[in-house]
Amino acid sequence: MTPANGVDRAALVRAAQGKPASPAAPAAGAQRVPMGIRTIAGPGAETTATPTPAQPDRSVERLLSVAAASGSARTRHLAAKISGLLEELTGRVEAEEAQRREREAAEAQRQELAEAEAQLARQLAEVRQKLRTTGRDTTAQPPRSRREGAEQRAAIRAWALANGHEISARGRISGEIVQAWAAATGSEVTR
């Protein structure tokens, strides 16, 4: 039947007989809206909340337990395959988490070491600055002239020749001869 003035007569007849409205037809008293036009309820308009059906428990564990008990071999096989994949995924996620924790711990240790290095560098700079401002230690031995060093080397050579050591007239004097001379004469070596 064709609706007259926006009312579907067949729907009215079904409603009067106590039969539900056809699924394709709009509810009784509902206004037909041309295709492509949206209607929006304005402020103060009554909104009827349609009750949502209760959702079944679809957690992974529940689905796997139901599938494992299934009568279909294919469903049981799929559940076993998914269980294996979940175990592999769990292992990978745990390994990645452990690596992330190790990286964070290493980064924290690097940060601590960098801070300690910076603190030591500051302390070293302070010590160097204090050494510059205080100058040289005045109790240290005064610098010797080249002439005194040459005189000492000549004395070492003369002592070495007199005591049977082999030594050249020029060049470097071995450390053994210098130590023997210092021990024999009780002198200090100033090279």
Side-chain angles (χ1 to χ4, degrees):
M1 295 181 137
T2 307
N5 297 329
V7 177
D8 185 1
R9 289 178 193 243
L12 290 175
V13 171
R14 281 191 298 277
Q17 293 173 350
K19 297 179 182 177
S22 68
Q31 185 177 4
R32 290 184 150 228
V33 178
M35 192 167 159
I37 298 177
R38 285 191 328 169
T39 59
I40 300 173
E46 290 185 28
T47 57
T48 58
T50 57
T52 57
Q55 294 290 329
D57 183 17
R58 301 238 173 165
S59 67
V60 173
E61 293 83 14
R62 174 77 178 132
L63 286 175
L64 287 175
S65 67
V66 169
S70 174
S72 169
R74 185 172 180 181
T75 304
R76 288 191 308 271
H77 176 69
L78 186 59
K81 185 177 180 180
I82 291 172
S83 294
L85 289 172
L86 279 174
E87 288 176 14
E88 181 182 345
L89 177 63
T90 302
R92 286 185 179 208
V93 167
E94 289 173 354
E96 288 176 4
E97 184 67 20
Q99 288 175 347
R100 183 189 60 79
R101 283 192 303 268
E102 288 174 4
R103 281 193 308 267
E104 288 175 354
E107 183 60 32
Q109 187 177 18
R110 273 194 290 274
Q111 184 69 24
E112 289 175 12
L113 291 174
E115 290 172 2
E117 180 185 24
Q119 182 180 4
L120 288 173
R122 284 191 301 273
Q123 290 175 345
L124 181 61
E126 290 172 5
V127 168
R128 285 182 177 164
Q129 182 61 35
K130 287 179 183 177
L131 285 174
R132 283 188 204 112
T133 57
T134 58
R136 290 188 171 254
D137 188 8
T138 55
T139 61
Q141 297 179 355
R144 301 196 181 224
S145 67
R146 292 184 91 186
R147 181 168 171 75
E148 288 175 358
E151 289 174 0
Q152 187 180 45
R153 284 190 298 276
I156 293 171
R157 284 181 203 284
W159 175 87
L161 288 173
N163 290 300
H165 294 283
E166 289 185 25
I167 189 166
S168 63
R170 301 178 74 182
R172 184 176 178 273
I173 302 171
S174 72
E176 294 171 354
I177 294 175
V178 172
Q179 288 177 355
W181 173 80
T185 61
S187 302
E188 288 187 30
V189 179
T190 58
R191 293 186 129 195

